[in-house]
Amino acid sequence: MLLLRGRAGVVAIVKAGSDGQFFLETENEEIVLGLEPHDLIVASAFSVDEKTEKGLKCVLFMIREIRSPLIVLPKKPSCITKASNRSVGR
């Protein structure tokens, strides 16, 4: 694992490894990514403490070793968007 530490954040990088199927779960679909062993999986955070580094290691371990799907949430949750649209019309 490569850790790049800056003043305002950390980037953690690992190679994808030999089992090249990874799953992304979005609000609308599940996507299967086919990666080569030399491809990279990257996680980042806007913090630089030891707890953050442990968290990034955990995230990458869950994705690469445990095969847990990566869940991708929308930038703006639909329930908030719908509520905002209703209040605009009043």
Side-chain angles (χ1 to χ4, degrees):
M1 175 179 293
L2 174 64
L3 286 171
L4 302 173
R5 295 178 191 95
R7 291 187 191 120
V10 178
V11 176
I13 305 167
V14 295
K15 288 187 177 182
S18 60
D19 189 5
Q21 280 195 340
F22 295 89
F23 300 92
L24 291 172
E25 183 75 33
T26 71
E27 190 175 66
N28 301 318
E29 62 186 331
E30 182 176 75
I31 301 166
V32 180
L33 294 175
L35 300 179
E36 297 292 326
H38 61 275
D39 288 335
L40 302 176
I41 303 172
V42 180
S44 64
F46 294 112
S47 182
V48 293
D49 59 5
E50 183 180 345
K51 191 175 188 179
T52 299
E53 287 184 16
K54 287 180 180 179
L56 291 174
K57 290 176 184 179
C58 180
V59 166
L60 292 176
F61 180 81
M62 292 295 294
I63 294 169
R64 182 181 162 187
E65 303 299 329
I66 305 298
R67 318 301 301 162
S68 178
L70 177 62
I71 299 171
V72 180
L73 301 174
K75 288 183 180 181
K76 198 178 239 184
S78 58
C79 62
I80 293 174
T81 304
K82 290 176 186 173
S84 297
N85 290 340
R86 275 189 247 132
S87 63
V88 170
R90 291 185 181 174

